[in-house]
Amino acid sequence: DIQMTQSPSTVSASVGDRVTITCRASQSISSRLAWYQQKPGKAPKLLIYKVSSLESGVPSRFSGSGSGTEFTLTISSLQPDDFATYYCQHYNRYSCSFGQGTELEIK
Amino acid sequence: EVQLVQSGAEVKKPGESLKISCKGSGYSFTSYWIGWVRQMPGKGLEWMGSIYPGDSDTRNSPSFQGQVTISADKSITTAYLHWSSLKASDTAMYYCARNYGSDPVDYWGQGTLVTVSS
């Protein structure tokens, strides 16, 4: 199984800050990397797929990058609605696996 | 409109069996995988397995193999997650989610909270 490791586990930031979350895979996963946002009591929401493709309706302040085993999610200017937990996910035809999550909290 | 509607919250005792459901609508149910994801209280997301209702092909996470059974009834566009003998450690929120081929999940159910307690 491919293991996904996110860092940091928690990040404290303020409205307007630029935030970057990192996700590392235990082996190369090509471009099959997605990012999800989850708010308390809600199902996750797809933000980015194929490393850097923005899901329809997701604000352009969200961006993804990376290749091979190291990937990043960047929020360019934090908005109040962005405080949530973020998960990376490796996916393919046969399985998927999630990172452990990064909680983005208000400083 | 694509919808995945899950069955309601359950409270069960250890050793009891349980089947929860996920009804898909607004899309071709037999053309998308339906997966199940566990989220234990205060914890992260764990993929349990997926089923392709078109031919009932199933993929299981090694971590959940033998612990649960995933099935689907395409005639009523519903997928299921079944336990034959629940444990307290099965207490969690369970989400169903769909994906197309090797694409990521794009729609999620609202979640079913399962509480197992004596």
Side-chain angles (χ1 to χ4, degrees):
Chain A
D1 277 8
I2 295 175
Q3 308 300 320
M4 307 300 291
T5 304
Q6 289 181 232
S7 61
S9 295
T10 306
V11 57
S12 298
S14 303
V15 173
D17 284 353
R18 179 184 180 90
V19 169
T20 297
I21 298 168
T22 297
C23 178
R24 290 186 175 87
S26 58
Q27 64 190 74
S28 178
I29 58 171
S30 184
S31 61
R32 301 207 177 277
L33 191 284
W35 291 94
Y36 295 86
Q37 177 193 66
Q38 187 181 33
K39 295 182 177 178
K42 300 293 187 182
K45 172 189 173 184
L46 178 64
L47 300 175
I48 288 172
Y49 60 97
K50 285 185 186 175
V51 178
S52 58
S53 296
L54 207 61
E55 176 72 348
S56 176
V58 173
S60 58
R61 63 181 180 271
F62 291 92
S63 64
S65 64
S67 64
T69 62
E70 187 157 333
F71 304 89
T72 59
L73 171 71
T74 298
I75 310 172
S76 60
S77 178
L78 275 173
Q79 300 302 301
D81 191 49
D82 300 337
F83 293 95
T85 300
Y86 293 84
Y87 295 91
C88 64
Q89 181 205 36
H90 160 58
Y91 58 91
N92 62 30
R93 187 173 182 82
Y94 304 101
S95 69
C96 70
S97 53
F98 293 94
Q100 80 276 20
T102 294
E103 183 181 3
L104 177 51
E105 61 179 29
I106 301 174
K107 184 184 287 185
Chain B
E1 179 196 6
V2 174
Q3 286 193 310
L4 296 173
V5 179
Q6 299 185 226
S7 50
E10 301 274 1
V11 179
K12 292 289 191 179
K13 291 181 167 43
E16 293 186 330
S17 65
L18 174 66
K19 181 184 276 190
I20 61 175
S21 66
C22 170
K23 181 170 176 61
S25 62
Y27 72 100
S28 175
F29 185 74
T30 54
S31 299
Y32 286 75
W33 289 82
I34 293 284
W36 289 94
V37 175
R38 182 176 79 174
Q39 188 165 40
M40 299 177 77
K43 302 298 184 183
L45 306 170
E46 300 172 273
W47 175 73
M48 304 174 72
S50 300
I51 189 166
Y52 188 72
D55 60 8
S56 293
D57 187 17
T58 306
R59 303 275 187 259
N60 294 295
S61 164
S63 300
F64 292 91
Q65 185 80 41
Q67 307 305 307
V68 293
T69 302
I70 295 171
S71 62
D73 184 340
K74 60 186 179 183
S75 69
I76 55 171
T77 67
T78 300
Y80 301 95
L81 182 64
H82 175 251
W83 294 261
S84 58
S85 180
L86 286 161
K87 309 179 191 69
S89 57
D90 292 318
T91 294
M93 181 70 80
Y94 293 87
Y95 292 102
C96 67
R98 80 158 199 181
N99 70 284
Y100 183 78
S102 54
D103 290 343
V105 166
D106 59 357
Y107 281 90
W108 297 72
Q110 82 277 19
T112 296
L113 179 62
V114 174
T115 303
V116 184
S117 174
S118 55

